[in-house]
């Protein structure tokens, strides 16, 4: 921390003391009700803010200005207004108690997006903020997308993956958003959340607000923070007996769309429950941190009918979607039953297909792994709800410096497979690894086969613990002259593992044929990696670790899943067409 910066900071603090009148005695919720205006471009309900629209937000916002607490923790679902709570807190500090502030997002790109899509509209819409924070496009060099200056302070926006944004910035207020998406380490500097918190140590009246939807049990940052807090839940009195209780998913009755009282058993609708006056009740009232838990059942913007439909859909579509529901609708951590699968159990699931392509398959994709002396290819069939069938695992041996081997690959990708009714299927798309010793040759091959949707891929680099989506980016450069798809391989491996753990035919289940290249060596490769929990300076994160040398089958499963997601076909199409034909036939029979 430079002497010049400290001197500037001291001047700011003296300016506040000498030139600004003491801030009015307003809480954050009172400030929001008086000054906050919701812009039409970011809100479904634009206009003057009204805390009574979601009364559970009042106590959370007021805790931000409570001098007894330094840390505020919000573990919540989506659709409950947690981002607006952060924005109201930020607006309050800019308007009422100007000091250096940091808004920390999972990535620097997310910070830029938040600045442009949420902060800028708020500043434009709120008269009390409009004249204090100038537009980043103005000639004021102190205001950029990632830094906004105002009388008495500034707000710096930073990404948890960018250590330069976390260093040498003394701040009084830290607003950390979606902390479960933070990497375990910011470069080689250590835990980004801890780095940001250290920036507040020079202020006696520091405030740290940490917000996130949770992820996996054991590695969730927000769960760890919440467990060491007051652990408060919003309680509503039963409309029949008055017993106070939080709204819980286990008490929801699907048929009547009601919530049963845990005490008297009376069932009431969401409107009856939410018309009651609620209050926050702490499980650990003496904790030093103030912690709040929220789920979508409280939200005025989500109907219980919609949440029930979302749950049924997630339950039908497999574990991965169920996990998303648990995290984002209930605001709870996901507890994995098992983190690996056994190769022998998968081998025992092999089936005798009735044809080259089983009846449930609607499309075929392919994935190609490029080695120095061979191509390894897996062709997969996909059906309704992403149920999958291994069609063939094929190896083309040879020296890849010879064009004949590439010609053989081209011929293989052009072949077709048939169903028992004679219908023939070709490959609708393929992903090809470009990360080996033949990168330029892969680019040339995919460029030649672009019309067949054969595309080059590369794994996206990710910091420890950072969540990179399966389709991380799509580019088209002069060098590639075709699509180059960047893959979040860890996300893909997590999803493949989840699919392999499905034990019932249906959504996401993986079928394997007998023969066709699916031998013991294949299943050893498919289970060649294991998900383990590691620690980076005390921060847990998950990492994939090889337990066998050859893992090509596992990689090819990831590539095929990514290819399916990239193509985004309507896997229900053939199913619904067949259902329509059946109904039409029944109508004809009835008409006779």
């Amino acid at each position: 921390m430079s002497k010049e910066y400290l001197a500037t900071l001291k001047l700011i603090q003296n300016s506040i003391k000498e030139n600004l009148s003491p801030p009015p005695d307003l809480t954050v919720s009172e400030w929001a009700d008086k000054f906050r205006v919701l812009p039409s471009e970011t809100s479904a309900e634009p206009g003057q803010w009204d805390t009574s629209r979601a009364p559970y937000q009042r106590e959370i916002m007021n805790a931000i200005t409570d001098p007894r607490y330094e840390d505020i923790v919000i573990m919540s679902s989506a659709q409950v207004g947690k981002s607006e709570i952060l924005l109201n807190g930020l607006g309050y500090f800019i308007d009422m108690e100007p000091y250096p502030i940091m808004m920390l997002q999972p990535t620097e790109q997310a910070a830029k997006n938040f600045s442009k899509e949420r902060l800028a509209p708020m500043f434009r819409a709120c008269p009390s903020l409009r004249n204090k924070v100038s537009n980043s496009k103005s000639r004021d060099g102190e205001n950029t997308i990632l830094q906004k200056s105002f009388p008495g302070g500034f707000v710096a926006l930073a990404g948890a993956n960018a250590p330069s944004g976390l260093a040498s910035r003394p701040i009084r207020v830290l607003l950390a958003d979606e902390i479960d998406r933070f990497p375990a380490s910011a470069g080689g500097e250590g835990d980004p959340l801890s780095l940001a918190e250290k920036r507040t140590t020079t202020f006696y009246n520091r405030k740290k607000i940490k917000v996130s939807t949770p992820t996996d049990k054991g590695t969730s940052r927000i769960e760890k923070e919440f467990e060491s807090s007051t652990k408060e839940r919003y309680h509503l009195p039963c409309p029949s007996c008055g017993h106070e209780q939080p709204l819980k998913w286990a008490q929801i009755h699907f048929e009547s769309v009601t919530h049963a009282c845990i005490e008297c058993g009376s069932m009431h609708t969401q409107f009856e429950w939410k018309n009651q006056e609620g209050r926050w009740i702490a499980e650990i009232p003496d904790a030093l941190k103030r912690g709040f838990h929220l789920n979508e059942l409280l939200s005025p913007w989500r109907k219980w009918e919609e949440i029930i439909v979302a749950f049924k859909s997630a339950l039908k579509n497999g574990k991965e979607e169920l996990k998303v529901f648990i995290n984002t609708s209930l605001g709870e951590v996901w507890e994995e039953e098992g983190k690996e699968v056994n190769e022998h159990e998968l081998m025992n699931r092999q089936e005798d297909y009735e044809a080259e392509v089983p009846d449930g398959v609607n499309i075929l994709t392919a994935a190609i792994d490029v080695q120095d002396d061979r191509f390894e290819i897996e062709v997969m069939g996909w059906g309704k709800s992403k149920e999958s069938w291994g069609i063939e695992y094929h190896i083309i041996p040879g020296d890849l410096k010879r064009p004949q081997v590439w010609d053989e690959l081209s011929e293989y990708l052009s072949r077709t497979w048939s169903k028992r009714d004679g219908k023939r299927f070709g490959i609708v798309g393929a992903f090809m690894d470009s990360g080996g010793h033949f990168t330029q040759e892969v680019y040339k091959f995919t460029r030649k086969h672009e019309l067949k949707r054969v595309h080059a891929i590369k794994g996206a680099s990710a910091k420890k613990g950072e969540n990179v989506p399966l389709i991380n980016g799509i580019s088209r450069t002069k060098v590639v002259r075709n699509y180059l798809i960047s893959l979040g391989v860890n996300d893909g491996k997590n999803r493949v593992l989840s699919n392999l753990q499905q034990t019932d035919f249906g959504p996401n289940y993986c079928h394997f044929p007998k023969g066709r290249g699916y031998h013991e060596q294949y299943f050893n490769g498919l289970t060649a990696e294991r998900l383990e929990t590691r620690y980076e300076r005390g921060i847990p994160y998950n990492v994939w670790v090889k337990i066998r040398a050859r893992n090509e089958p596992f990689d090819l499963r990831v590539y095929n899943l990514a290819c399916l997601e990239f193509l985004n076909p309507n896997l229900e199409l053939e199913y619904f067409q067949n259902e329509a034909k059946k109904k039409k036939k029944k109508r004809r029979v009835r008409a006779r």
Side-chain angles (χ1 to χ4, degrees):
M1 181 184 316
S2 68
K3 292 181 180 179
E4 292 80 7
Y5 195 95
L6 287 173
T8 302
L9 183 62
K10 189 173 182 179
L11 285 173
I12 290 173
Q13 292 174 325
N14 290 337
S15 174
I16 294 169
K17 292 177 182 178
E18 296 172 8
N19 301 321
L20 298 179
S21 58
D25 188 19
L26 289 178
T27 63
V28 173
S29 67
E30 290 169 340
W31 177 88
D33 285 333
K34 189 173 182 179
F35 298 112
R36 178 78 195 281
V37 178
L38 296 171
S40 58
E41 61 258 57
T42 64
S43 176
E45 300 176 355
Q48 185 63 45
W49 173 272
D50 182 6
T51 303
S52 64
R53 183 76 172 92
Y56 56 80
Q57 295 179 337
R58 188 181 308 277
E59 186 64 24
I60 302 175
M61 289 190 286
N62 293 347
I64 294 174
T65 50
D66 189 335
R68 295 173 297 173
Y69 295 96
E70 180 179 306
D71 293 89
I72 310 299
V73 178
I74 308 170
M75 183 169 83
S76 82
S77 66
Q79 303 294 332
V80 292
K82 63 181 185 296
S83 293
E84 298 300 337
I85 292 172
L86 283 179
L87 288 169
N88 285 339
L90 178 63
Y92 170 88
F93 282 115
I94 292 173
D95 200 19
M96 298 285 103
E97 295 185 46
Y99 275 96
I101 302 167
M102 176 178 284
M103 169 70 76
L104 188 59
Q105 293 285 337
T107 65
E108 190 169 72
Q109 185 59 52
K112 291 177 180 178
N113 293 343
F114 192 88
S115 177
K116 291 184 284 188
E117 297 168 9
R118 303 303 300 272
L119 284 191
M122 180 179 77
F123 294 153
R124 289 194 297 268
C126 296
S128 63
L129 302 177
R130 190 183 305 141
N131 296 327
K132 293 186 177 181
V133 185
S134 61
N135 193 303
S136 62
K137 293 182 180 179
S138 72
R139 294 185 178 181
D140 183 358
E142 294 183 353
N143 284 279
T144 65
I145 291 175
L146 292 178
Q147 177 154 321
K148 310 289 183 182
S149 297
F150 47 83
F154 61 81
V155 54
L157 293 104
N161 64 340
S164 61
L166 305 176
S168 302
R169 286 176 183 260
I171 54 170
R172 181 200 163 193
V173 180
L174 171 64
L175 304 170
D177 195 15
E178 293 299 344
I179 65 173
D180 268 24
R181 275 74 184 171
F182 288 9
S185 180
E189 301 295 322
D191 174 31
L193 186 59
S194 296
L195 289 174
E197 289 185 275
K198 287 178 182 177
R199 304 275 70 83
T200 68
T201 54
T202 56
F203 289 89
Y204 74 93
N205 55 351
R206 53 189 167 269
K207 284 287 181 178
K208 295 170 283 186
I209 298 95
K210 305 160 196 174
V211 180
S212 190
T213 51
T215 49
D216 296 332
K217 187 173 182 61
T219 60
S220 171
R221 290 175 183 270
I222 199 68
E223 179 198 27
K224 182 180 178 182
E225 295 283 346
F226 183 72
E227 288 296 319
S228 62
S229 74
T230 53
K231 297 180 69 173
E232 299 179 44
R233 290 177 171 83
Y234 196 68
H235 285 57
L236 291 166
C238 169
S240 292
C241 71
H243 180 74
E244 292 182 313
Q245 59 205 280
L247 298 178
K248 292 185 177 180
W249 182 245
Q251 302 300 113
I252 294 290
H253 286 240
F254 291 1
E255 294 77 16
S256 58
V257 194
T258 56
H259 183 283
C261 173
I262 199 169
E263 181 70 18
C264 71
S266 297
M267 295 190 293
H268 293 278
T269 67
Q270 69 180 104
F271 304 105
E272 292 170 329
W273 277 103
K274 292 177 185 178
N275 278 335
Q276 308 301 306
E277 186 174 344
R279 67 187 180 107
W280 288 95
I281 297 179
E283 186 178 326
I284 311 174
D286 296 331
L288 298 178
K289 298 178 183 177
R290 193 90 188 264
F292 303 90
H293 180 268
L294 289 165
N295 63 40
E296 276 191 338
L297 296 175
L298 279 170
S299 174
W301 303 285
R302 282 285 272 174
K303 295 179 180 178
W304 286 359
E305 293 95 327
E306 296 172 345
I307 303 173
I308 291 169
V309 169
F311 171 74
K312 289 180 176 178
S313 175
L315 195 64
K316 181 178 70 173
N317 290 327
K319 188 165 65 174
E320 198 61 35
E321 287 197 26
L322 185 60
K323 175 183 175 181
V324 172
F325 177 85
I326 296 296
N327 291 161
T328 62
S329 289
L330 302 187
E332 297 173 0
V333 292
W334 173 262
E335 189 166 3
E336 191 65 68
E337 295 176 359
K339 292 188 177 182
E340 58 183 298
V341 288
N342 184 276
E343 65 273 20
H344 302 296
E345 291 177 1
L346 294 179
M347 280 188 69
N348 291 335
R349 280 168 33 176
Q350 288 179 281
E351 309 165 34
D352 285 315
Y353 291 174
E354 70 277 6
E356 287 182 315
V357 178
D359 284 343
V361 173
N362 289 343
I363 68 165
L364 301 183
T365 64
I368 307 108
D369 186 81
V370 181
Q371 299 293 325
D372 290 348
D373 61 350
R374 68 192 184 281
F375 293 117
E376 295 201 19
I377 311 151
E378 183 172 31
V379 179
M380 289 182 63
W382 300 91
K384 184 173 177 279
S385 301
K386 296 183 181 178
E387 189 170 4
S388 67
W389 285 261
I391 301 300
E392 186 171 65
Y393 196 88
H394 185 67
I395 296 176
I396 300 176
D399 183 356
L400 266 59
K401 295 176 183 177
R402 297 171 56 236
Q404 295 90 332
V405 185
W406 295 85
D407 292 341
E408 191 174 343
L409 173 63
S410 179
E411 184 179 346
Y412 182 81
L413 295 177
S414 300
R415 66 159 291 191
T416 60
W417 290 259
S418 62
K419 277 189 174 180
R420 59 180 174 177
D421 62 1
K423 183 178 179 181
R424 302 200 67 81
F425 283 72
I427 294 167
V428 298
F431 273 10
M432 188 172 188
D433 177 31
S434 66
H437 296 146
F438 292 87
T439 300
Q440 296 305 319
E441 288 82 355
V442 169
Y443 291 165
K444 182 179 178 181
F445 182 86
T446 55
R447 184 163 63 246
K448 181 180 177 182
H449 294 80
E450 180 179 8
L451 294 179
K452 295 181 181 178
R453 297 194 181 102
V454 181
H455 301 301
I457 58 172
K458 67 174 183 177
S461 60
K463 294 179 174 63
K464 294 174 181 176
E466 188 175 10
N467 295 306
V468 178
L470 180 54
I471 302 295
N472 183 58
I474 303 170
S475 59
R476 191 183 181 101
T477 67
K478 290 182 179 179
V479 176
V480 182
R481 290 168 59 191
N482 184 5
Y483 289 118
L484 176 63
I485 293 95
S486 173
L487 299 188
V489 178
N490 284 352
D491 179 41
K493 289 179 178 179
N494 291 336
R495 290 162 65 172
V496 168
L497 173 66
S498 176
N499 293 346
L500 292 173
Q501 289 174 329
Q502 297 294 323
T503 56
D504 297 321
F505 286 11
N508 297 305
Y509 183 84
C510 301
H511 298 263
F512 299 100
K514 290 183 178 178
R516 305 189 187 188
Y518 292 89
H519 306 305
E520 183 177 2
Q521 185 177 354
Y522 168 84
F523 290 101
N524 286 337
L526 187 60
T527 57
E529 296 188 36
R530 178 172 61 211
L531 190 62
E532 294 183 355
T533 300
R534 299 282 178 86
Y535 293 85
E536 176 77 20
R537 301 185 186 183
I539 304 300
Y541 65 95
N542 289 329
V543 62
W544 284 95
V545 177
K546 272 190 178 184
I547 56 176
R548 299 186 187 93
R550 309 309 310 182
N551 67 339
E552 290 85 359
F554 193 28
D555 286 341
L556 289 174
R557 282 268 151 169
V558 173
Y559 303 164
N560 264 303
L561 181 62
C563 184
L564 180 75
E565 186 162 307
F566 174 76
L567 296 172
N568 193 27
N570 185 358
L571 294 173
E572 320 291 313
L573 183 62
E574 184 171 287
Y575 171 80
F576 285 121
Q577 284 178 338
N578 291 337
E579 289 298 301
K581 288 178 182 177
K582 290 177 184 177
K583 290 179 181 179
K584 190 174 182 180
K585 187 175 181 180
K586 287 180 180 179
R587 286 196 295 268
R588 286 175 179 171
V589 171
R590 286 196 298 267
R592 291 172 186 167

